[in-house]
Amino acid sequence: MRQETINRIRKFRDERDWNQFHTPSNMAKSIVIESGELLECFQWSEDDYDLQHVKEELADILVYCQDMIDCLNLDADEIVNMKMDLNEAKYPIDKAKGNSTKYDKL
Amino acid sequence: MRQETINRIRKFRDERDWNQFHTPSNMAKSIVIESGELLECFQWSEDDYDLQHVKEELADILVYCQDMIDCLNLDADEIVNMKMDLNEAKYPIDKAKGNSTKYDKL
Amino acid sequence: MRQETINRIRKFRDERDWNQFHTPSNMAKSIVIESGELLECFQWSEDDYDLQHVKEELADILVYCQDMIDCLNLDADEIVNMKMDLNEAKYPIDKAKGNSTKYDKL
Amino acid sequence: MRQETINRIRKFRDERDWNQFHTPSNMAKSIVIESGELLECFQWSEDDYDLQHVKEELADILVYCQDMIDCLNLDADEIVNMKMDLNEAKYPIDKAKGNSTKYDKL
């Protein structure tokens, strides 16, 4: 996300005094709640989904992820790169190529 | 996320031929699965959590969100701004300030 | 579940002094965490799942549901029948037959 | 649940021809979706929840668990007792008493 978009999320939260509700635990709950709503778009069919609804639910998750990053003072690029280091080690290309098997079964 | 980080996620996926598994439905499932793992960090306590574990699970969610954005050809800034338009209308400052009540009960 | 199975769940919990952790909120978190693990059995394929793993995760959910019923002093039959009354009203047979559409779109 | 309640769930499903939608994968998705709705009752507060709403969401989970048990031809008592055997081995009383630590850290 662009800095401008991140700033909008922060301004929205600050103007409503919602930082008080944004504990890490509440953010984790919120992300899973919104993820369930995203999954609901695919509850009965993999292919026949309402794209506008999908966009809204995915956006809700992105907003709560940003809120969680903020309330823990994290940096998105830093944590993603740290995790990608781990993922690259867990899923070597030669073993994982074309294969959806979980790393502990590879 | 910076473009460089997004490129790393895409390269990781492409090198492993994983685009074939990245349907919107599978991505929605993956996001909710990782969100459950994030919540597990707070299962028995709100305050006593393993920060490194939280970072890893939150990063997993960010990676799958990027994968979903890619497989649907979306733009993160566009969908978040579209949703923030809706949120700002649903939660007017004067009603929502300091209040965690859901919009349909405001 | 038979009374004997319910008693076993309660004895397991009591012997470990775990009632102190079984708040309604912690039970709700636990149910969604286990549900994510159940879904993980179907993350990349609808059909190719490990039945033993599915049984274990589904059993975990049933155990936590019983724990939640207990910590709220509920009766499974009563709440399910109450909800089936609502479901029968929301999904009249003539409209819902052979149709997975959600009630608010029926 | 009493046999009578289970029969009501089955009759509801059969009368609407919904067995066609009740694949194991769809049931797993449905359980996690409803679990997210249950968790939403506790999103911003652990203590200030709407009991009627909690009952309805918990009942939804119980109904989908029964549907999943049925579509896989399982027996609730059998799988729960199988899992309780595992849990009793993973959480010996002397180590787990009064302790919410996960078995792999005990």
Side-chain angles (χ1 to χ4, degrees), chain B residues 21-37:
Chain B
F21 306 121
H22 286 200
T23 63
S25 167
N26 284 359
M27 291 301 97
K29 283 187 274 179
S30 299
I31 291 169
V32 84
I33 291 165
E34 297 299 335
S35 302
E37 295 183 8

Side-chain angles (χ1 to χ4, degrees), chain D residues 11-90:
Chain D
K11 186 163 178 280
F12 177 84
R13 184 175 72 220
D14 289 345
E15 284 178 342
R16 282 157 190 76
D17 260 344
W18 282 358
N19 284 296
Q20 60 186 307
F21 306 119
H22 287 200
T23 63
S25 168
N26 284 358
M27 292 300 96
K29 284 187 274 178
S30 299
I31 291 169
V32 83
I33 291 164
E34 297 299 334
S35 301
E37 295 183 6
L38 175 63
L39 187 65
E40 198 182 354
C41 299
F42 304 93
Q43 185 172 11
W44 305 112
S45 167
E46 305 241 303
D47 306 308
D48 182 21
Y49 50 85
D50 174 340
L51 183 59
Q52 174 58 20
H53 195 181
V54 169
K55 286 180 185 178
E56 292 179 20
E57 299 301 345
L58 184 53
D60 280 334
I61 297 167
L62 292 170
V63 170
Y64 277 131
C65 284
Q66 185 58 48
D67 286 334
M68 186 156 195
I69 283 167
D70 286 348
C71 81
L72 285 166
N73 267 310
L74 303 176
D75 177 272
D77 291 285
E78 192 186 304
I79 64 171
V80 169
N81 279 296
M82 173 274 291
K83 193 54 173 50
M84 292 306 291
D85 287 343
L86 297 174
N87 289 351
E88 287 166 7
K90 287 200 292 190

Side-chain angles (χ1 to χ4, degrees), chain A:
Chain A
M1 284 194 285
R2 287 195 302 267
Q3 192 56 45
E4 196 187 324
T5 309
I6 295 174
N7 290 346
R8 184 176 180 182
I9 294 172
R10 291 176 177 161
K11 185 163 179 278
F12 177 84
R13 186 176 69 219
D14 289 344
E15 285 178 343
R16 282 156 189 78
D17 261 343
W18 282 0
N19 285 297
Q20 59 186 309
F21 307 121
H22 286 201
T23 64
S25 168
N26 284 359
M27 291 302 95
K29 284 187 274 177
S30 299
I31 292 169
V32 84
I33 291 165
E34 297 300 334
S35 301
E37 295 183 9
L38 175 63
L39 187 65
E40 197 180 355
C41 299
F42 305 94
Q43 184 172 13
W44 304 112
S45 167
E46 305 241 302
D47 307 309
D48 181 21
Y49 51 85
D50 174 341
L51 183 60
Q52 174 59 20
H53 195 180
V54 169
K55 285 180 185 179
E56 293 180 16
E57 299 301 346
L58 184 52
D60 280 335
I61 297 167
L62 292 171
V63 171
Y64 277 131
C65 284
Q66 184 60 48
D67 286 333
M68 185 156 196
I69 283 167
D70 285 348
C71 79
L72 285 166
N73 268 310
L74 303 176
D75 178 272
D77 291 283
E78 191 186 304
I79 65 171
V80 168
N81 279 296
M82 173 272 293
K83 193 54 173 52
M84 292 306 290
D85 287 342
L86 297 173
N87 289 350
E88 287 167 8
K90 287 201 292 192
Y91 295 97
I93 296 175
D94 62 322
K95 286 194 181 166
K97 197 167 183 170
N99 192 340
S100 65
T101 307
K102 203 174 169 178
Y103 69 95
D104 54 3
K105 301 263 171 68
L106 267 185

